[in-house]
Amino acid sequence: MSTATVQSRLTDIGPPSYQKYLPPIVLRNYGQWRHHETLAPGVLCHIAESGERLYTVRAGSPRLLSIQTLRRYADLADRYCGGSLRFTSRNNVEFLLEDPARIEPLKKELAALGIPVGGTNNAISNIVHTQGWVHCHSAATDASGLVKSVMDALNDHFTHEDLPAKLRIAVACCLNMCGAVHCSDIAILGVHRRPPQIQHEVLPKVCEVPTLIASCPTGAIRAATVEGKPSVEVIEEQCMYCGNCFSVCPAMPLSDAEHDGLSIWVGGKVSNARSKPSFSKLVIPWLPNHPPRWPEVVEAVTKIVDVYRGEARRYERMGEWIDRIGWPRFFQLTGFEFTRYHIDDFKHAGLSYARSAHVRY
Amino acid sequence: MADNNGNSGSNEKPATKLLDELEEGPWPSFVTEIKSAAEANDSARDLLGQLEVSYEEKKSHWKHGGLVGVLGYGGGVIGRYSDVGDQFPKVAHFHTLRVNQPAAWFYSSEALRKVCDIWERHGSGLTNMHGSTGDMILLGTTTDQLEPTFQELTHAGFDLGGSGSAVRTPSCCVGMARCEWACFDTMKLCYDLTMTYQDELHRPAFPYKFKFKCSGCPNDCVASIARSDLAVIGTWKDDIQIDQEEVGKYAAAGLNIQRDVCGNCPGKCMDWDGRALHIENRDCVRCMHCINAMPKALRPGKEKGAVILIGAKAPIVQGALLSSVLIPFVPADELLDTLKELVQRIWDFWDEYGTNRERIGELIQRVGLPAFLDGIGLDPVPEMVAAPRDNPYIYFQTEKEGDQ
């Protein structure tokens, strides 16, 4: 047993101090950056008031990383960056250099390791995603495999800044949305489509019935006595398969290999630039769950990216482009079917109905 | 003592016909990563085996969580058990530690190696860099390894992050470390908030989770407006700084300033006459578009601070919400004190009125923003709403003595 480490027990120390791992050039110019330029896709140059220049090389990562790969990153940081590196909010890894002559050699080493450089400006950045089958109990699909499949198809848009504006894709493997996909240019969301299979035998032992009933956003769960024991019943017409009951009660599993699948949402953003932050909207209610390569999902996402790239104006994010051309034309251009599932029928649904005579023909 | 995952190395590598297909293609493969860890670690090898079964059967093989952790903390560890543990015994218990990341995810190679060494001794050798909330995720170990891992981590200068109904690990954008647009010191504020709320972070005592995110400008690189209960988004009060000569250079280089910059301005506050850019700053909504388009020519103003917004969340339970404005402007140097005071009032109200698993945003939806403002003692201002109400169902309050 490795209890040799019981020295003084430390708790509540918090994270390392915020400047502890900053490279010297960053410390020297902290808060004193003047502007930046893009030298190539994935390569930025930040210029400080002092005149000093900091070069960033941004590289893609699968997010799920072995310690072997992390040590490789550490070696690269030692050789090129004086031992500093950082990760981005979209799970890219960034190498920060002082010497521009070292950029190309670093890029060559990254290329040799199969690590793409890009993800800046009008490129697709890395896909923010969740755990999926790798580590989650409520996943309707895998996340890492979907990301790998989609990024393989879109890799050229990561390494080239060839889109009208930035494009942010996110994957969440159930409605819990640990990946908070709800404000992405393109969101891939795992969905269940069958009500929970209530395990009446174990339910009273592992769940609090009142908490369980309260967990349902549509009030579809009612107390019931089953074979003399306290349990619940689900009014199936009222269930929209959110999985919230399963989150509070393990006896309510709702995964179903045949009927689980993926939905596709578009047009959300978090940035305040130009238009206000907005939610992504449904464009495909369900696609089959086809590991290991999810061809239907890859095809749909590629289609959306291609149409957007061909039609949108410079600086137009996905949602801004659709606002301009209108949803009917979006469905026409992409060929996706518009169905009753696209029309909201939850709370505040009426706010999304077309409340004007503005119609494009 | 080093190896507590029982790495006998006697078992053969699992056949991974489906997963192997995910090693093809240009994007770096997570399967290659798991295989790399599996060379030295049996739990990574069993993870690969279990994942292949999930790919075959199209379902997860993880059981509903379990309560595991380290002494004195109520969070930071996610319990995970396999439902095919007999087949893959090394992942029968496969818990995850959330480790509070350094602000803006800066590491030294030395610190990164130190964490790798700890995780080699005590866990699967697999990580997420990083989890959705921002933590460094150490993916997979057994219950008996949690406390030793934790102790080694704290002695290396790292602590656990949040989980459950607690303050979740705050996160921030790169801010002043490498961005000219940072309107306040995001890394410092994020660190100060994290240190202030250590107890609330490690010992869940709230109705539900509470997330802080700090973005240095309205580009919001950490998605605070969509993903945090309390969002701090940098902005400025005075005029955008203009370098007309540099504006001219962008025009000369081919940027169509009138169409692509002025034409996209949501405040319709700017005009380019071919020689100079005119901005009516009174009408500027501080969206960042023109500054993003011409970073050498335009910069945020000098009177910097932040907007405080409240209430974002993903769909569970009552539907997704974006944050909305609570305080339109707080000067940069007053942010920490203002937030401490504000957050205490918010938590008091939430403790009093929040129901089980009710995020602050959902509580505000339920009781209404006016009641929430009364509760926390904040005066209403028009910046808080997109528009005043358009329905006449007003809950007039009983007039106090002396009112007309």
Side-chain angles (χ1 to χ4, degrees):
Chain A
M1 263 307 294
S2 64
T3 42
T5 48
V6 186
Q7 308 146 12
S8 53
R9 190 169 187 277
L10 301 175
T11 69
D12 299 80
I13 63 165
S17 169
Y18 69 103
Q19 291 194 327
K20 186 172 178 185
Y21 299 130
L22 297 182
I25 183 172
V26 166
L27 286 171
R28 284 198 299 276
N29 298 289
Y30 195 86
Q32 300 295 320
W33 298 102
R34 203 192 173 290
H35 64 269
H36 74 276
E37 296 165 357
T38 304
L39 304 184
V43 184
L44 304 174
C45 172
H46 284 82
I47 298 121
E49 299 286 2
S50 67
E52 282 201 280
R53 288 166 177 260
L54 174 66
Y55 302 90
T56 299
V57 174
R58 181 179 294 173
S61 132
R63 185 179 86 124
L64 201 176
L65 293 167
S66 64
I67 52 175
Q68 289 79 12
T69 295
L70 286 177
R71 285 171 178 150
R72 224 164 277 143
Y73 288 172
D75 292 344
L76 289 171
D78 280 347
R79 283 212 294 286
Y80 292 93
C81 314
S84 298
L85 77 167
R86 73 175 291 264
F87 295 83
T88 72
S89 55
R90 301 196 76 85
N91 308 317
N92 298 301
V93 55
E94 287 185 340
F95 297 95
L96 307 173
L97 299 86
E98 288 191 49
D99 179 4
R102 305 286 282 151
I103 295 171
E104 284 308 313
L106 171 61
K107 283 171 78 175
K108 278 202 185 99
E109 281 214 49
L110 289 166
L113 290 166
I115 300 172
V117 169
T120 45
N121 300 312
N122 297 350
I124 289 178
S125 189
N126 203 345
I127 299 182
V128 167
H129 62 282
T130 54
Q131 294 291 14
W133 293 330
V134 170
H135 208 254
C136 184
H137 63 289
S138 63
T141 183
D142 190 34
S144 309
L146 268 168
V147 168
K148 165 71 176 153
S149 302
V150 172
M151 283 310 284
D152 276 343
L154 300 178
N155 187 63
D156 284 352
H157 299 303
F158 180 84
T159 56
H160 297 81
E161 296 179 353
D162 59 0
L163 296 166
K166 62 167 87 164
L167 196 135
R168 299 288 180 255
I169 306 179
V171 169
C173 44
C174 80
L175 270 61
N176 273 312
M177 283 194 199
C178 310
V181 303
H182 56 303
C183 295
S184 305
D185 292 291
I186 303 177
I188 303 166
L189 175 65
V191 290
H192 299 291
R193 294 190 305 157
R194 287 294 181 271
Q197 306 119 34
I198 310 165
Q199 298 172 343
H200 296 291
E201 275 302 300
V202 292
L203 192 142
K205 284 176 247 169
V206 295
C207 308
E208 281 180 16
V209 170
T211 307
L212 174 55
I213 291 171
S215 75
C216 181
T218 62
I221 302 174
R222 283 196 299 223
T225 304
V226 179
E227 292 179 5
K229 286 181 190 158
S231 188
V232 297
E233 62 183 5
V234 173
I235 308 160
E236 299 201 348
E237 312 82 75
Q238 259 169 259
C239 178
M240 40 60 174
Y241 330 109
C242 70
N244 202 35
C245 54
F246 181 56
S247 286
V248 302
C249 172
M252 304 285 283
L254 69 167
S255 82
D256 177 318
E258 201 56 34
H259 299 100
D260 290 348
L262 294 311
S263 56
I264 311 283
W265 309 66
V266 309
K269 70 197 271 277
V270 294
S271 158
N272 287 270
R274 298 169 308 282
S275 56
K276 291 172 185 170
S278 61
F279 289 127
S280 312
K281 316 290 194 292
L282 180 69
V283 294
I284 303 179
W286 186 81
L287 290 169
N289 204 7
H290 277 164
R293 279 287 177 181
W294 289 274
E296 297 87 352
V297 175
V298 173
E299 188 189 354
V301 172
T302 307
K303 177 85 193 174
I304 294 165
V305 172
D306 287 347
V307 173
Y308 164 69
R309 184 171 178 237
E311 299 280 329
R313 292 177 184 162
R314 188 175 187 189
Y315 294 117
E316 260 178 352
R317 292 282 293 267
M318 181 77 68
E320 294 168 332
W321 162 61
I322 298 170
D323 270 353
R324 177 169 60 79
I325 66 164
W327 285 100
R329 185 149 169 75
F330 173 85
F331 281 95
Q332 189 186 53
L333 285 167
T334 53
F336 302 143
E337 188 190 0
F338 187 83
T339 71
R340 68 188 304 283
Y341 296 128
H342 291 87
I343 304 175
D344 196 358
D345 49 9
F346 195 54
K347 277 187 286 183
H348 314 304
L351 296 173
S352 67
Y353 301 163
R355 300 181 297 172
S356 78
H358 293 189
V359 182
R360 295 170 179 84
Y361 298 103
Chain B
M1 62 143 247
D3 199 326
N4 289 281
N5 284 295
N7 290 346
S8 62
S10 60
N11 294 333
E12 285 178 20
K13 283 181 195 165
T16 49
K17 193 165 159 279
L18 295 173
L19 291 174
D20 290 351
E21 288 188 40
L22 288 168
E23 290 199 277
E24 304 294 320
W27 191 252
S29 169
F30 72 102
V31 174
T32 307
E33 294 297 317
I34 304 177
K35 285 188 176 178
S36 170
E39 290 290 323
N41 185 290
D42 285 359
S43 65
R45 189 206 58 213
D46 272 4
L47 176 67
L48 206 56
Q50 177 176 320
L51 191 57
E52 178 75 9
V53 174
S54 282
Y55 269 61
E56 284 163 3
E57 298 176 357
K58 300 199 283 189
K59 66 185 285 257
S60 175
H61 279 288
W62 298 108
K63 283 199 265 194
H64 212 275
L67 288 176
V68 288
V70 301
L71 287 173
Y73 281 12
V77 182
I78 313 302
R80 196 62 79 216
Y81 300 90
S82 170
D83 70 6
V84 283
D86 48 345
Q87 208 180 334
F88 302 104
K90 301 298 183 196
V91 291
H93 301 200
F94 200 64
H95 314 315
T96 280
L97 292 112
R98 291 185 181 158
V99 181
N100 196 327
Q101 79 284 4
W105 304 284
F106 277 93
Y107 293 89
S108 68
S109 54
E110 188 195 349
L112 204 54
R113 284 197 191 93
K114 216 177 262 180
V115 172
C116 290
D117 293 348
I118 293 170
W119 199 228
E120 183 166 50
R121 285 195 290 278
H122 296 294
S124 69
L126 288 168
T127 73
N128 287 147
M129 301 297 271
H130 292 80
S132 293
T133 296
D135 299 277
M136 181 201 312
I137 306 292
L138 301 182
L139 207 57
T141 193
T142 50
T143 309
D144 61 331
Q145 290 303 306
L146 294 171
E147 181 64 23
T149 311
F150 171 63
Q151 290 188 37
E152 285 209 43
L153 282 169
T154 51
H155 281 88
F158 286 93
D159 200 347
L160 298 188
S163 69
S165 297
V167 166
R168 297 300 186 87
T169 310
S171 79
C172 66
C173 70
V174 72
M176 292 188 169
R178 199 204 47 200
C179 184
E180 66 269 30
W181 299 328
C183 292
F184 69 95
D185 192 341
T186 57
M187 292 172 65
K188 182 173 191 322
L189 183 69
C190 181
Y191 178 73
D192 288 342
L193 289 171
T194 312
M195 296 310 286
T196 303
Y197 300 122
Q198 278 294 294
D199 192 35
E200 290 82 356
L201 192 153
H202 296 304
R203 294 165 196 91
F206 292 151
Y208 208 6
K209 62 186 89 171
F210 195 92
K211 299 187 177 188
F212 289 98
K213 289 190 189 296
C214 308
S215 277
C217 83
N219 282 323
D220 199 358
C221 286
V222 286
S224 66
I225 203 162
R227 304 180 59 164
S228 61
D229 298 274
L230 198 111
V232 187
I233 300 181
T235 190
W236 64 95
K237 249 190 162 169
D238 54 345
D239 295 354
I240 291 177
Q241 303 179 62
I242 310 182
D243 182 334
Q244 296 289 0
E245 199 183 321
E246 291 292 344
V247 176
K249 286 185 193 167
Y250 278 103
L255 179 64
N256 187 332
I257 294 178
Q258 188 56 38
R259 188 192 66 194
D260 290 338
V261 181
C262 304
N264 277 317
C265 172
K268 298 185 174 68
C269 73
M270 51 177 61
D271 191 51
W272 165 247
D273 63 10
R275 288 189 313 277
L277 183 70
H278 306 280
I279 301 179
E280 188 61 67
N281 280 278
R282 187 175 62 172
D283 295 331
C284 169
V285 298
R286 278 74 179 163
C287 88
M288 289 301 289
H289 172 70
C290 61
I291 298 175
N292 291 341
M294 302 191 289
K296 263 181 119 162
L298 302 178
R299 309 174 71 186
K302 291 176 175 168
E303 192 184 346
K304 290 172 181 169
V307 193
I308 313 292
L309 303 97
I310 189 157
K313 55 180 289 299
I316 303 297
V317 179
Q318 296 291 340
L321 294 169
L322 283 163
S323 282
S324 65
V325 173
L326 198 56
I327 305 182
F329 189 83
V330 179
D333 56 5
E334 296 172 20
L335 272 170
L336 182 61
D337 289 342
T338 304
L339 283 169
K340 280 187 192 171
E341 170 70 28
L342 180 70
V343 163
Q344 197 48 58
R345 295 193 209 173
I346 291 169
W347 288 349
D348 286 347
F349 185 83
W350 193 31
D351 278 345
E352 185 74 19
Y353 300 104
T355 61
N356 183 34
R357 301 185 73 239
E358 187 172 48
R359 295 277 286 269
I360 191 71
E362 288 189 348
L363 171 59
I364 295 171
Q365 292 289 309
R366 178 163 63 83
V367 304
L369 183 59
F372 175 70
L373 294 176
D374 288 346
I376 65 168
L378 207 60
D379 290 333
V381 293
E383 285 87 348
M384 292 172 177
V385 293
R389 73 163 70 226
D390 54 16
N391 84 74
Y393 297 172
I394 305 173
Y395 295 100
F396 283 107
Q397 293 173 324
T398 312
E399 285 168 21
K400 293 183 200 120
E401 225 169 292
D403 285 357
Q404 289 302 306

